[in-house]
Amino acid sequence: MIELVKAKLSDIPAMQALVVSEVKDGIILNRTEDEVATNIRSYVLAKDGDKLVGYTALHVHSRRLAEIRSLIVDEAYRGQRVGQRMVQFTLDEAKNIGVEEDVLVLTYLPQFFLNLNFKEINKEVIPEHKIWADCIKCIHFPICNEVALVYKLA
């Protein structure tokens, strides 16, 4: 049974190991161990016993906007609703902490999020601080093929 739990600092090496190929391919942004540690409270992990099989993070930009980041599921566990459960966990968390309007995601797999009631938006409406804080670190910047979607909380 796969359990969703909040991340601990001791989970960082396994988290980093899980995303190596996706970071190399530019699917997920590279985050240093220090960046992950700084934001450790943002992460939710999917664990099968002691084995890390996936994770994601909820990053809050403002009272009105949060973002789902770094969603990853081990290939052997894909198709088992692990990603869907983690997204729902982050949406519930956004509501619980009082995010007022939207949860944003940038993805190469828009259909996954469309199936979860996210709606595609134009990337030009994404706050500028998001672009300069994260997108500039991407190997694909400035030519971005990701799709922007939001989930309306209100």
Side-chain angles (χ1 to χ4, degrees):
M1 170 120 168
I2 297 170
E3 181 181 16
L4 300 184
V5 297
K6 291 299 284 182
K8 296 179 184 171
L9 293 168
S10 59
D11 293 310
I12 294 174
M15 293 167 69
Q16 295 288 71
L18 186 60
V19 295
V20 168
S21 64
E22 284 77 7
V23 167
K24 182 181 175 189
D25 293 340
I27 295 168
I28 291 182
L29 283 179
N30 183 37
R31 304 222 184 259
T32 67
E33 286 195 18
D34 287 345
E35 283 179 282
V36 176
T38 298
N39 296 292
I40 198 68
R41 293 180 179 149
S42 300
Y43 290 92
V44 59
L45 311 181
K47 288 194 166 185
D48 187 359
D50 290 335
K51 181 181 179 182
L52 177 65
V53 300
Y55 70 85
T56 194
L58 179 71
H59 181 79
V60 178
H61 288 285
S62 69
R63 290 175 57 177
R64 295 187 316 271
L65 179 68
E67 177 185 7
I68 294 174
R69 294 180 168 180
S70 304
L71 177 63
I72 180 75
V73 176
D74 184 299
E75 284 188 41
Y77 288 81
R78 293 179 186 169
Q80 299 179 35
R81 300 179 43 145
V82 176
Q84 182 179 353
R85 288 181 56 212
M86 288 190 295
V87 168
Q88 189 58 56
F89 185 99
T90 60
L91 294 174
D92 292 343
E93 190 172 43
K95 290 174 192 172
N96 289 337
I97 64 172
V99 175
E100 296 171 353
E101 293 180 21
D102 299 327
V103 177
L104 169 72
V105 67
L106 290 164
T107 183
Y108 294 107
L109 300 171
Q111 192 59 52
F112 172 81
F113 290 95
L114 289 167
N115 291 343
L116 299 175
N117 297 316
F118 281 73
K119 304 294 180 215
E120 189 171 340
I121 62 167
N122 190 320
K123 284 187 275 193
E124 281 73 33
V125 303
I126 297 171
E128 188 173 302
H129 71 272
K130 162 64 181 159
I131 300 301
W132 294 111
D134 289 318
C135 296
I136 200 162
K137 298 179 208 173
C138 181
I139 65 173
H140 303 293
F141 186 80
I143 300 168
C144 178
N145 294 327
E146 284 188 305
V147 176
L149 301 106
V150 293
Y151 183 93
K152 295 285 185 189
L153 295 171

